[in-house]
Amino acid sequence: MTTTVPAVTALGTARTRVEGREKITGAARYTGDIPLTSLAHGSLVLSTITRGRIRAIDDAAVRAMPGVVAVLHHLNAPRVRGDYPSIMGMAPDPTVRAFQDDRVPHWGWPVALVVAETPEQARAAADALVVEYEAEPHDTDFPGERTDAYSLDGVVPATLAKGDEEAELAASAVVVDASYTTPEEHHNPMEPHAATASWQDGRLEVLDSNQGASWTAEDLAKAFELEPGTVRVRSEHVGGGFGSKTVRVHQIAAVMAATELRRPVRVAMTRRQMFSLAGYRSPTDQRVRLGADPDGRLRVLSHGSVSQTSSVYEFVEPAAAAGRVLYDAAAHRTSAQVVRLDVPTPTSMRAPGMAPGSFALESALDELAERCGLDPIELRLRNEPSAGPLSGLPFAGRNLRACFEEGARRFGWAERDPRPRVRRDGRWLLGTGTAAATFHAFAVPSTAAVTAWADGTFTVRIAAADIGTGARTALQIVAADALRVAPERVRVRIGDSEFGPAWLAGGSAGTSSWAWAITPAAGELRERLALGADIPADGLTVRSDSTTALAGQEPAERHSYGAQFAEVAVDPGTGEVRVRRMLGMFAAGRIVNPLTARNQLVGGMVWGLSMALHEEAARDGRSGSLVGADLAGYHVASHADVAHIEADWVDDPMPGDPIGIKGVGEIGVVGAAAAIANAVRHATGVRHRRLPIRPDRVLCGESPGGGFSGDSVDGGRSGESVDGGRSGESPDA
């Protein structure tokens, strides 16, 4: 049988999520919702010391408790590997090597798993387990000035540089030299991390909440030294990820228990456990040195960042990377260092590196603009590079100027009085600020299969993940456009490692990576149908692999860009900061689905607001534990904090991409905190170089003199003053 394929254009049309009704009615089942026969439940036991060793585990009493069927720990747990290459060639965090020895390298380290018939029984028994420790001195403090910080490459090189920094600084008419700090931040998805493992006919089956089913299956096979193809991971619905839902200890523990008991076992983290086991954004201490001519043209851009990593694994937060593409200078240096501490390992968190890095760089750019007597937007546009400042590569689409120009028009920037502390609304001081944003755009090889059915419908199979972004709907649109049919005729199946290797939902590269695989398969299938190919009873299927196509891309600087604008009101009596309105204008490639894309961008901007004013995890130096490790003690923005937020975009298709996609998942966060901080400076006359901008910090002005003086040096930390000597201005608080 043959079918016709009329031309239909679905790309760029707003469509509600195809699974939306299932989610709001409760029909969509998440990992913890799926019933299984003979299902047992595991509860993790975490260390109560920060460094040392386990002296003894007395599990006899716990094994006798109602419903308990097993207690796994380092004396009886199956062996697992921890030296295999994982995502992007990196070794896994050793935390996944659960219960392999008696060492405790940080607070909240997994020391045992109690398995019982019900979740309540498992939790009660886990709470009752007696573990004796031999504690050792620990170090969890993160000051910026440490002699043990060292350079570390991550997903990008640690250091890139050109030119003579000191010589260009000496020749600069205006210099800014300041330090900026961001705190430890946590990403806690609405759906906790959960996994269910079982053995079926000699094959490991895992139901899991993750950002990439094929990656998870591959990692589990390596960890347990299983043959490739003997592990299947399914993850149809995921309630948020943000970089945290990769392979972690709960999946390993579930597989261990299922292997020992030969029955299905589910392990879910508690909210509190997620604060030590699900990763977080490292605190950063950043120093930015800018040197410029009187007209604001940069001679020097130097940005160094120090972040923390654990004592068992090296992870770097590449906070200085944003400047590598945003602005050019004769002397250009960006670098990353880490300090090893007795803390859990940080991980990728939405807009890794760029979110904290943009706060420092874009705050420093505003300081420079003020000293040069320039409008902050004009300063940025004067330093637009024509090619990659360090790579020399051409830009694959760079429309930052349009973002600033259109954003300024919509925001009413031209009416802004640049003088600080001149606008009021009753008791409130009003201010506006702006900042640039960027995030890299890339695609990773993936596979897909597209099937035509005799009834005129189509099925797409790809091991993609929809972590709340609307990816399932976007892929339906991509496939429908390539097939030239209405989206309603396309069904998208995702979240199953059986569908073959595919990139995970991360790095703003999910949709672009998956589209590279889906588009050629759908195009070939469309051509076969147009030539009269028959459709058998089991469907006509075309498979594709984007590896070769992606390898043929020309080298280029591929990035999304954006301009963030914010208006704040500050109460000088209480220190309260209210964000009255935000506008983000983005150049983020071709927008597949405006409805979900805008949702992603606005969500990122809200996250940036939360970063600017609320989020701050604190560690108790004496115990090494996290203070307030729950969503009551860890403050995030609520509805009352969010007023009018608008996100939109300019035309910016990615050259060479089959759809023109760049990605919108990460960039909404980038620059948002800096725009708010710059607005607070405009409102109050005080520069805040430490996040979050809490009421107490607003009241004290972050300076020894306190208040809103705006003329004293911040906090007395070395390297944090601004060199205003050449411009004749006093340094800010």
Side-chain angles (χ1 to χ4, degrees):
M1 176 181 176
T2 61
T3 185
T4 59
V5 283
V8 174
T9 300
L11 283 165
T13 59
R15 301 186 68 85
T16 57
R17 300 175 189 233
V18 295
E19 81 286 6
R21 181 176 293 274
E22 294 178 72
K23 287 184 174 177
I24 64 173
T25 60
R29 296 191 303 181
Y30 293 82
T31 299
D33 302 329
I34 301 172
L36 292 173
T37 303
S38 302
L39 178 64
H41 300 266
S43 183
L44 290 163
V45 180
L46 308 188
S47 70
T48 56
I49 64 167
T50 295
R51 183 180 179 86
R53 55 179 292 272
I54 301 169
R55 181 182 296 150
I57 294 181
D58 183 3
D59 61 6
V62 167
R63 289 179 182 275
M65 291 180 68
V68 173
V69 295
V71 180
L72 298 179
H73 45 73
H74 71 282
L75 298 175
N76 62 8
R79 301 294 93 184
V80 294
R81 285 185 57 195
D83 57 350
Y84 58 87
S86 183
I87 295 175
M88 301 183 76
M90 298 183 293
D93 183 340
T95 310
V96 305
R97 296 184 67 248
F99 325 134
Q100 299 299 291
D101 56 48
D102 64 355
R103 296 301 304 171
V104 174
H106 64 71
W107 167 83
W109 178 262
V111 297
L113 177 76
V114 177
V115 186
E117 298 293 346
T118 70
E120 294 79 11
Q121 290 171 334
R123 182 75 176 272
D127 290 343
L129 184 66
V130 176
V131 182
E132 296 181 12
Y133 300 98
E134 182 180 310
E136 299 172 359
H138 62 260
D139 180 7
T140 60
D141 293 334
F142 180 71
E145 301 284 338
R146 288 184 68 121
T147 58
D148 54 347
Y150 61 95
S151 179
L152 178 66
D153 291 337
V155 294
V156 295
T159 302
L160 290 178
K162 70 175 184 181
D164 189 329
E165 181 177 338
E166 296 303 327
E168 293 294 342
L169 276 174
S172 296
V174 185
V175 171
V176 170
D177 185 351
S179 290
Y180 306 83
T181 63
T182 61
E184 180 177 323
E185 298 168 351
H186 286 258
H187 41 3
N188 259 255
M190 186 177 295
E191 178 202 18
H193 296 57
T196 305
S198 63
W199 287 92
Q200 299 178 21
D201 300 322
R203 197 165 185 224
L204 179 60
E205 298 273 347
V206 180
L207 302 173
D208 185 38
S209 178
N210 62 58
Q211 295 179 227
S214 59
W215 289 84
T216 303
E218 183 179 342
D219 274 18
L220 290 176
K222 291 174 180 176
F224 289 94
E225 298 186 286
L226 301 173
E227 290 296 322
T230 61
V231 180
R232 182 185 187 186
V233 174
R234 286 178 289 164
S235 185
E236 184 175 0
H237 295 291
V238 182
F242 312 120
S244 71
K245 285 187 176 174
T246 53
V247 172
R248 301 206 172 272
V249 66
H250 66 293
Q251 295 118 318
I252 299 291
V255 174
M256 283 182 172
T259 302
E260 290 292 294
L261 298 173
R262 288 293 158 173
R263 60 184 289 191
V265 176
R266 177 172 295 154
V267 178
M269 293 187 196
T270 65
R271 184 65 63 185
R272 187 172 184 84
Q273 288 173 346
M274 289 167 64
F275 277 86
S276 62
L277 298 179
Y280 59 95
R281 197 193 305 281
S282 167
T284 68
D285 197 308
Q286 305 174 56
R287 184 183 184 187
V288 180
R289 297 208 295 176
L290 302 176
D293 292 331
D295 63 359
R297 299 188 188 277
L298 287 170
R299 302 180 70 97
V300 178
L301 191 159
S302 176
H303 187 178
S305 174
V306 180
S307 60
Q308 74 182 24
T309 190
S310 70
S311 63
V312 295
Y313 186 74
E314 292 183 321
F315 180 90
V316 61
E317 180 77 16
R324 294 177 179 180
V325 298
L326 277 176
Y327 310 108
D328 201 0
H332 201 300
R333 177 182 173 82
T334 53
S335 61
Q337 292 184 306
V338 295
V339 175
R340 280 183 177 267
L341 297 173
D342 301 317
V343 295
T345 306
T347 191
S348 295
M349 179 170 161
R350 197 173 188 181
M354 297 297 183
S358 65
F359 162 66
L361 180 61
E362 292 298 308
S363 294
L365 260 293
D366 252 46
E367 300 197 40
L368 181 65
E370 188 174 346
R371 280 155 181 74
C372 292
L374 287 173
D375 179 86
I377 295 177
E378 176 59 28
L379 176 80
R380 288 166 170 83
L381 295 182
R382 286 188 184 184
N383 289 286
E384 272 277 277
S386 58
L390 291 163
S391 69
L393 294 173
F395 288 108
R398 180 185 174 99
N399 222 355
L400 178 59
R401 178 179 291 273
C403 293
F404 270 116
E405 291 175 347
E406 178 62 14
R409 184 188 69 80
R410 294 196 195 184
F411 194 74
W413 188 263
E415 289 74 47
R416 177 182 191 261
D417 188 328
R419 295 174 300 167
R421 297 197 70 188
V422 298
R423 286 183 62 211
R424 284 184 176 269
D425 180 6
R427 73 177 190 276
W428 298 91
L429 296 168
L430 304 182
T432 52
T434 189
T438 187
F439 199 83
H440 50 268
F442 65 100
V444 179
S446 300
T447 59
V450 184
T451 301
W453 302 100
D455 63 358
T457 63
F458 301 85
T459 300
V460 175
R461 293 177 177 85
I462 186 167
D466 192 332
I467 58 175
T469 58
R472 185 185 275 101
T473 309
L475 297 185
Q476 182 195 52
I477 294 171
V478 167
D481 201 69
L483 290 164
R484 296 179 187 169
V485 302
E488 289 77 13
R489 291 171 61 184
V490 179
R491 180 191 177 198
V492 178
R493 294 187 58 194
I494 64 173
D496 190 336
S497 63
E498 288 281 87
F499 299 155
W503 178 241
L504 48 74
S508 278
T511 303
S512 58
S513 299
W514 305 324
W516 270 92
I518 291 172
T519 301
E524 182 181 337
L525 181 60
R526 185 191 72 239
E527 291 174 2
R528 289 193 192 181
L529 294 173
L531 292 173
D534 289 333
I535 301 178
D538 59 350
L540 178 62
T541 299
V542 173
R543 293 178 172 81
S544 68
D545 184 332
S546 62
T547 302
T548 301
L550 283 167
Q553 284 188 302
E554 292 293 326
E557 290 282 4
R558 295 180 171 87
H559 308 270
S560 292
Y561 298 94
Q564 302 269 17
F565 296 84
E567 180 180 63
V568 304
V570 183
D571 185 337
T574 65
E576 179 183 7
V577 178
R578 287 284 183 180
V579 177
R580 290 194 167 185
R581 60 188 176 111
M582 293 182 72
L583 169 67
M585 288 297 301
F586 300 97
R590 189 172 184 184
I591 302 302
V592 175
N593 184 356
L595 184 63
T596 53
R598 185 169 282 108
N599 221 25
Q600 282 294 292
L601 293 169
V602 169
M605 293 168 69
V606 171
W607 200 328
L609 183 159
S610 192
M611 174 184 178
L613 303 181
H614 300 288
E615 297 193 39
E616 182 179 27
R619 293 195 176 273
D620 182 343
R622 294 167 300 175
S623 68
S625 65
L626 203 61
V627 178
D630 51 49
L631 293 185
Y634 182 79
H635 294 171
V636 297
S638 65
H639 286 293
D641 300 299
V642 181
H644 180 75
I645 296 186
E646 180 185 357
D648 209 342
W649 45 82
V650 298
D651 188 48
D652 183 51
M654 167 76 94
D657 184 275
I659 307 297
I661 298 170
K662 286 186 176 180
V664 298
E666 322 272 358
I667 194 168
V669 187
V670 184
I676 292 169
N678 291 336
V680 172
R681 159 65 184 173
H682 185 227
T684 65
V686 178
R687 171 67 60 183
H688 290 267
R689 303 193 186 100
R690 176 168 52 158
L691 293 184
I693 305 173
R694 300 187 321 228
D696 61 312
R697 292 173 178 169
V698 173
L699 288 176
C700 76
E702 293 276 38
S703 64
F708 289 92
S709 65
D711 289 323
S712 50
V713 176
D714 182 8
R717 291 171 59 90
S718 61
E720 290 201 3
S721 61
V722 174
D723 182 358
R726 295 184 178 88
S727 63
E729 295 191 19
S730 300
D732 292 330

